[in-house]
Amino acid sequence: MADDVLMVAVDGGPGAAAPWVEAFARRLPDLAVAALGDAVDPARVRYVAAWKHPHGALAALPALEAVFSLGAGVDHLLADPGLPAGVPVARVVDPDLTNRMSEWVLLQVLSHHRQARRYARQQAESRWDDDPRQPAARAVRVGVMGLGVLGLDAAAKLALVGFDVAGWSRSRRDAPGLACYAGAAELDDFLGRTDILVVLLPLTPDTAGLVDAGLLRRLARDGRLGGPVLINAGRGGLQREDDILACLDDGTLRAATLDVFAREPLDRASPLWRHPGVTVTPHNAALSDPEAVADLIAGQILAHRAGRPLDHVVDRVRAY
Ligand SMILES: NC(=O)c1ccc[n+]([C@@H]2O[C@H](COP(=O)([O-])OP(=O)(O)OC[C@H]3O[C@@H](n4cnc5c(N)ncnc54)[C@H](OP(=O)(O)O)[C@@H]3O)[C@@H](O)[C@H]2O)c1
């Protein structure tokens, strides 16, 4: 048993892997924990914990029993054509991460709703200019795309603040106080009642590029904010960034807050940095706490070694 190996495969080389190796070694004394690139017999590797590993690196591990994403998303794993078929892939579901995402979503929705940038500008100019048209939260329709672990929590908290909240998912969800829309057939109705669109979808072959000009043009035009707002913390691959800029310039969109981008870090030359309608955050809406993630994955490995099923295994066909 002690010969079995957990391999940590992350981008950024051995330096980036070292804290994870140490965290797992503390929790799993019966396993050898190694970093990708260490001299390890591939036939001893039973488990891999990965984040944006180099593609192909997991291809020749004949005894591999499970792969764990070090984050909530698995698009980085499933994009690897060398990911061994038939090996379960599990993701992180962490209440701390979920709460952090809801904090970020609330901050961004409230910031657009209460015109935070406008008042920051006014303060910089020592200008007192009240807006009597400020609507109540109940008059603002928020639409959450993706009603999974993150979307459902964010939607519930937005509803608690008073927003008129709906959600959209692939299969029908049933959540108290939430107007639920499902599938392509109900997408238009969902978009047509949405003033602030919050995207919390996973990146899959079905969702890649979904947030394009065609979709943004279907958002509500009769809202109280003076135009629709886009907020994306799902993945950059969900959005067409040129379309977002064009929609901001032609008035289809009033504003956008983006945490995720097609290429990260966002290039310094990207016009998104400087557009007055865009707020950029550096893909940190919900960072994983490494200690919590190590606890969760070590717990999964111990359960698996005791013959119990893994939690949060993704469907490799659905790709989330
Ligand atoms: N920015 C950050 O810091 C950060 C941090 C963590 C995670 N994320 C991102 O957030 C994503 C969502 O996380 P999660 O834990 O909430 O995922 P999840 O629990 O798997 O939920 C995914 C949701 O998206 C829906 N969905 C998937 N494909 C769809 C499609 N083609 N059409 C309509 N709905 C679709 C699912 O529908 P069903 O309900 O029908 O299955 C589900 O409601 C992650 O994949 C990751 O990319 C970002």
Side-chain angles (χ1 to χ4, degrees):
M1 291 280 274
D3 283 348
D4 292 348
V5 173
L6 162 62
M7 191 169 77
V8 176
V10 296
D11 65 343
W20 288 108
V21 170
E22 189 273 326
F24 284 123
R26 257 190 288 131
R27 290 163 172 85
L28 298 165
D30 292 341
L31 278 180
V33 184
L36 183 68
D38 288 352
V40 170
D41 175 1
R44 289 174 51 208
V45 177
R46 304 271 172 195
Y47 304 101
V48 167
W51 187 252
K52 298 182 181 170
H53 67 284
H55 286 186
L58 316 183
L61 302 172
L64 190 61
E65 293 182 24
V67 177
F68 300 94
S69 172
L70 289 168
V74 290
D75 45 296
H76 64 105
L77 277 165
L78 302 186
D80 177 3
L83 185 70
V87 174
V89 173
R91 69 194 194 97
V92 165
V93 173
D94 171 20
D96 173 71
L97 183 145
T98 304
N99 201 47
R100 287 168 194 244
M101 179 58 84
S102 291
E103 281 176 13
W104 184 91
V105 170
L106 281 175
L107 172 68
Q108 305 308 334
V109 169
L110 282 167
S111 166
H112 289 290
H113 170 57
R114 296 306 303 248
Q115 309 181 69
R117 286 183 80 158
R118 167 190 167 161
Y119 291 119
R121 257 192 329 269
Q122 286 185 200
Q123 182 170 356
E125 296 162 6
S126 310
R127 186 156 55 89
W128 186 280
D129 181 9
D130 190 14
D131 184 354
R133 296 161 309 165
Q134 173 64 51
R138 67 175 180 282
V140 175
R141 298 162 295 182
V142 182
V144 179
M145 286 188 111
L147 290 178
V149 173
L150 301 182
L152 279 175
D153 192 71
K157 288 170 179 166
L158 288 161
L160 210 60
V161 174
F163 289 104
D164 179 359
V165 188
W168 181 75
S169 51
R170 210 170 61 104
S171 57
R172 183 163 309 287
R173 293 292 180 129
D174 181 18
L178 186 65
C180 293
Y181 296 78
E186 295 178 14
L187 181 56
D188 275 359
D189 287 346
F190 165 76
L191 295 171
R193 55 77 65 211
T194 294
D195 301 318
I196 300 181
L197 181 68
V198 176
V199 183
L200 287 173
L201 289 166
L203 178 60
T204 72
D206 288 339
T207 62
L210 186 66
V211 183
D212 63 3
L215 180 140
L216 296 172
R217 283 195 206 102
R218 283 135 73 198
L219 291 166
R221 306 294 324 161
D222 59 351
R224 297 286 303 279
L225 300 180
V229 171
L230 166 70
I231 296 175
N232 183 12
R235 281 287 181 267
L238 297 165
Q239 71 202 7
R240 296 265 181 253
E241 288 164 14
D242 287 349
D243 284 14
I244 292 171
L245 285 162
C247 285
L248 286 161
D249 289 340
D250 72 12
T252 300
L253 273 182
R254 179 179 171 79
T257 295
L258 307 175
D259 184 58
V260 286
F261 303 89
R263 292 189 58 179
E264 295 176 357
L266 181 61
D267 195 294
R268 284 175 64 85
S270 169
L272 290 167
W273 285 114
R274 283 168 294 281
H275 196 289
V278 179
T279 301
V280 169
T281 59
H283 197 150
N284 69 349
L287 293 180
S288 310
D289 169 16
E291 290 296 314
V293 170
D295 276 346
L296 290 165
I297 294 176
Q300 288 256 61
I301 291 173
L302 291 172
H304 186 259
R305 289 168 84 72
R308 294 196 295 278
L310 293 171
D311 290 328
H312 313 304
V313 173
V314 301
D315 177 332
R316 286 178 63 170
V317 175
R318 261 182 359 180
Y320 69 95

